[in-house]
Amino acid sequence: QVQLVESGGGLVQPGGSLRLSCVASRITLSAYDMAWYRQPPDHRELVAAITSGGSTNYADSVKGRFTISRDDAKDTVYLQMNSLKPEDTAVYYCSATGRLTGYWGQGAQVTVSS
């Protein structure tokens, strides 16, 4: 059974940093485009994406603050989040998109509050 397991979430003060990790099992990560989404209470939005070739794109709201990266040897994708704001509070989900299949992680809560 394919699994994507996120970790690294938690409570942080405004201006702080967190790094989310997403470890994949039973898939070859290098064959997948990877992305991080987040879901505040009402909708899910794309935060950052990285293709299998390493091209990246970001939501305007996180450009310059968040960095997505991948280590295919470790089957892991990361989201480095700096200068966090209260509006970044959400459940963050990792996703893997292949040619014919896609997978989601279970989510990691990030709360930015003083």
Side-chain angles (χ1 to χ4, degrees):
Q1 182 178 354
V2 174
Q3 282 190 312
L4 300 177
V5 179
E6 299 99 335
S7 62
L11 173 64
V12 63
Q13 292 186 341
S17 298
L18 284 175
R19 188 176 80 155
L20 300 180
S21 299
C22 171
V23 180
S25 60
R26 300 187 184 276
I27 60 172
T28 302
L29 200 69
S30 59
Y32 289 78
D33 295 336
M34 302 298 296
W36 288 95
Y37 288 77
R38 65 186 179 188
Q39 186 162 358
D42 55 346
H43 67 281
R44 187 171 292 190
E45 61 182 8
L46 176 67
V47 175
I50 184 167
T51 68
S52 58
S55 298
T56 59
N57 69 283
Y58 297 90
D60 288 343
S61 59
V62 307
K63 281 181 181 176
R65 300 189 298 123
F66 290 12
T67 303
I68 188 171
S69 61
R70 63 192 297 159
D71 185 341
D72 291 340
K74 295 182 179 180
D75 288 325
T76 303
V77 63
Y78 304 97
L79 184 68
Q80 178 66 45
M81 305 184 291
N82 299 327
S83 302
L84 282 161
K85 304 175 181 180
E87 51 263 43
D88 295 318
T89 295
V91 179
Y92 284 72
Y93 295 89
C94 174
S95 77
T97 303
R99 192 167 64 88
L100 298 175
T101 56
Y103 304 97
W104 289 91
Q106 83 288 350
Q109 177 69 47
V110 172
T111 302
V112 185
S113 175
S114 55

